[in-house]
Amino acid sequence: MNASAKSGPLGVGIIGTGVISQTYLENLTSFPDVAVVAVGDLMPERAQAKAEEFGIPSWGTADDVLANPDVDLVVNLTIPAVHVEVSRAAVAAGKHVWTEKPIGLDRESTRELLAAAEAAGVRIGSAPDTLLGPGFQTAKRAIQDGVIGTPLFVQTIFQTQGPDAWHPEPAFLFANGAGPLLDMGPYYFSALVSLLGPIDAVTARGSRPQLERTIRSGPRAGETFPVEVPSTVQVLTSFAGGQHGTHLLSFDSALERAGVVEIHGSEGTIVLPDPNMFTGRIAYVKPLGSISDADRDGQQWIEIEPVGPVTGRGIGVLDMARAISEGRPHIATGELGYHVLDVMLSAQESAADGQTRTIESTVAPVPLLPDGFDPFAETL
């Protein structure tokens, strides 16, 4: 299949019509350059309900989506344990793939997926695509323009009581392949790699203070489930560009605090939006001259207004569609997804044995969106 030879919107098929599919469908059906033509699920009746809600002409199973000749690109919204399996099937069917995060759960099968896509001449894209939102795009331009000088070190924080406090089916978020590291880490590490470049090494520590947790909402409230992975992880990163970072990811904190991303440079410090969001506050401070106690309390923040329309999940699919047509690289690539997975798995391994891990993978510089990128324009 050579989707770039087509004119008009790129045909999209979605596999997996669970909760996250709602926001994808709301956004993808609003972009003129893509057309959702099929949806599939293990429970076809669930796919049928989504098809009827959004006016999608075809529904059925995953196989039905893969066999549909109008589908050029498959959006893989299945559970993490089968991300690679479903993506490989899409590649074998000659389809481009956008997959929810993480791209896979182990290095070997994920590398094989990327190699299969390259051999088949199709593309892989991987969530998160929050780094394409106006928040991080504007912040990246500001950093490139030198508002903080040379970036030196970074700090990120995600801490919460845990999804068992609100999710009606939280066990999978504490199972192998999840926990705060693999569930939330993709947002933070993808954003930082897109801003600063690849990570060379990690050291981590983890803890699992509760071996069982209790569901606290929904019809199964009161039931317990096992905790299979560390529910708090602290990571030290060393970037290829010479920067280093500290990162806290926790499901064990009484203090709810998330979305903290700070980059400290030679000429200032910048705070960035929550990497799980598409926009948010961007502001920076410059160093003080001489410092008194009063100066510390009165540092002036310089606000930067995010530039560009706010959409949501699915903008990475749209960027892929346009990049395929234009013959340019897309932004949230499979290679970026693999590098971030490698970083997180290395952190997980370091937390288990206390040893620093060198990161074997790397990724090319992550480009900005083209100037004037308008999701709602018809360009194909």
Side-chain angles (χ1 to χ4, degrees), residues 104-130:
L105 296 183
D106 68 85
R107 295 179 181 88
E108 182 178 4
S109 68
T110 306
R111 285 196 302 264
E112 290 173 352
L113 167 65
L114 296 178
E118 183 175 7
V122 297
R123 299 194 187 202
I124 302 288
S126 179
D129 53 0
T130 44

Side-chain angles (χ1 to χ4, degrees), residues 1 3 31 80 108 144 170 242 244 282 300 321 332 336 343 361:
M1 172 185 298
F31 301 152
E108 182 178 4
Q144 289 183 346
H244 53 90
I282 309 165
Q300 181 180 3
L336 173 60
V343 168
S361 64

Side-chain angles (χ1 to χ4, degrees), residues 11 44 54 63 66 73 83 85 92 116 129 136 149 172 193 205 215 243 265 267 279 325 335 362 370:
F54 289 95
D63 288 341
L66 297 179
L73 185 152
H83 277 177
E85 177 185 347
D129 53 0
F136 274 86
F172 77 99
V193 170
R205 297 294 183 271
I215 301 173
Q243 306 89 357
E267 298 175 27
T279 191
S325 176
E335 288 73 20
T362 189

Side-chain angles (χ1 to χ4, degrees), residues 25-262:
L25 284 163
E26 288 171 355
N27 290 317
L28 290 175
T29 55
S30 72
F31 301 152
D33 282 348
V34 296
V36 182
V37 296
V39 289
D41 196 274
L42 278 172
M43 295 183 284
E45 64 276 9
R46 190 161 68 173
Q48 180 182 10
K50 292 297 182 186
E52 291 173 351
E53 180 181 356
F54 289 95
I56 297 164
S58 177
W59 57 270
T61 66
D63 288 341
D64 293 324
V65 173
L66 297 179
N68 191 316
D70 295 326
V71 172
D72 303 308
L73 185 152
V74 168
V75 177
N76 180 359
L77 304 183
T78 58
I79 60 172
V82 296
H83 277 177
V84 167
E85 177 185 347
V86 172
S87 295
R88 279 294 298 265
V91 167
K95 317 292 189 184
H96 304 288
V97 177
W98 171 269
T99 177
E100 251 302 324
K101 53 83 184 170
I103 188 172
L105 296 183
D106 68 85
R107 295 179 181 88
E108 182 178 4
S109 68
T110 306
R111 285 196 302 264
E112 290 173 352
L113 167 65
L114 296 178
E118 183 175 7
V122 297
R123 299 194 187 202
I124 302 288
S126 179
D129 53 0
T130 44
L131 56 90
L132 280 75
F136 274 86
Q137 291 289 301
T138 302
K140 184 169 182 172
R141 284 187 169 89
I143 292 168
Q144 289 183 346
D145 289 344
V147 296
I148 61 166
T150 301
L152 302 175
F153 66 98
V154 305
Q155 295 168 288
T156 66
I157 298 172
F158 170 87
Q159 58 187 67
T160 177
Q161 295 178 68
D164 49 327
W166 57 269
H167 200 295
E169 300 280 350
F172 77 99
L173 292 167
F174 294 83
N176 289 319
L181 180 60
L182 267 74
D183 181 47
M184 297 305 300
Y187 297 107
Y188 291 83
F189 294 120
S190 296
L192 292 174
V193 170
S194 77
L195 293 167
L196 301 176
I199 294 170
D200 270 353
V202 298
T203 303
R205 297 294 183 271
S207 60
R208 188 169 48 134
Q210 300 178 66
L211 300 184
E212 285 190 339
R213 295 179 78 128
T214 302
I215 301 173
R216 286 179 271 170
S217 66
R220 297 179 58 197
E223 293 184 25
T224 61
F225 60 89
V227 178
E228 299 177 358
V229 293
S231 49
T232 293
V233 181
Q234 298 187 76
V235 183
L236 299 176
T237 52
S238 298
F239 289 80
Q243 306 89 357
H244 53 90
T246 60
H247 318 280
L248 170 63
L249 300 120
S250 178
F251 286 164
D252 298 312
S253 171
L255 175 61
E256 295 279 328
R257 181 170 56 179
V260 177
V261 179
E262 301 173 348

